[in-house]
Amino acid sequence: MSARLLVTLAAGALPGLEDALTGSGFTIRRQPLLQHEPIAPNRPLHDAIAAGEWGAIVVTSPRAAAIVASVLPRESDVAVPLWAVGAATAAPLQVAGWRVCTGPGGSASAGAAEALAGAMLAAMVRGPVLFVAGDPHRPDLAARLADAGVSVTTVLAYRSVPVADVELLAALDRADLVVVASPALVAALAAQGDAAMRAGYVAIGATTAQQGRALGLVPVATADQPSVAAVADAVRRAARTLALGS
């Protein structure tokens, strides 16, 4: 019987991942386990962007980027530099016609948000910075900027809500290896107790891996970067460690 791989990424995230794992000995199922709910109406976000007195506007997820793109004043140029954690996050803003600076991406040892903060500091970004984030979100980016003396205001754009516990438990019961990309999801899985411990985990990036270790869901492997090739490689490494697959 082939090993069962559960990919918890949203539909459309890392397209081609399943194809890259063809022949690896897995039965692959993609089942998103987080629901993302925009905060609407969002007067704080509209007011913050309308103020236009920012040294930069920064986003660390495609969802936040799409929401920012929908709020930016399309009838005029935006003088404020726009920063995104990577190419996938920048895409909704670029499709809407905005120029975006991107960070270098994360690694197995450093989160992408922290790396983005480093790139912003290297580019001499001055505050105040408007960070449009999800709820919950990691403090790494804002903390790194604040430590360097850059003022950061965080405005929430959406909430990440795990699916019901019964759905989480059913998903875990059908998986030998689970690909996770969100600290919020790691926390929800860890709350399932012993049921969560029966599967192995592959983390997409250091931030998710750190959350897993903190909650006892130590990842078997961590992708060096959030790309199809790196995640597929991490899955194969995890499978070898756990003697799964072919």
Side-chain angles (χ1 to χ4, degrees), residues 8-35:
T8 65
L9 307 179
L14 290 186
L17 177 60
E18 287 86 347
D19 291 340
L21 289 167
T22 298
S24 297
F26 288 104
T27 298
I28 305 172
R29 185 175 85 261
R30 184 179 287 243
Q31 181 181 352
L33 298 178
L34 282 179
Q35 300 168 338

Side-chain angles (χ1 to χ4, degrees), residues 12 16 85 91 119 146 175-176 211 226:
V85 75
D176 301 304
Q211 179 77 319

Side-chain angles (χ1 to χ4, degrees), residues 231-243:
V231 174
D233 177 68
V235 169
R236 294 188 190 98
R237 286 189 280 115
R240 289 193 295 270
T241 298
L242 298 176

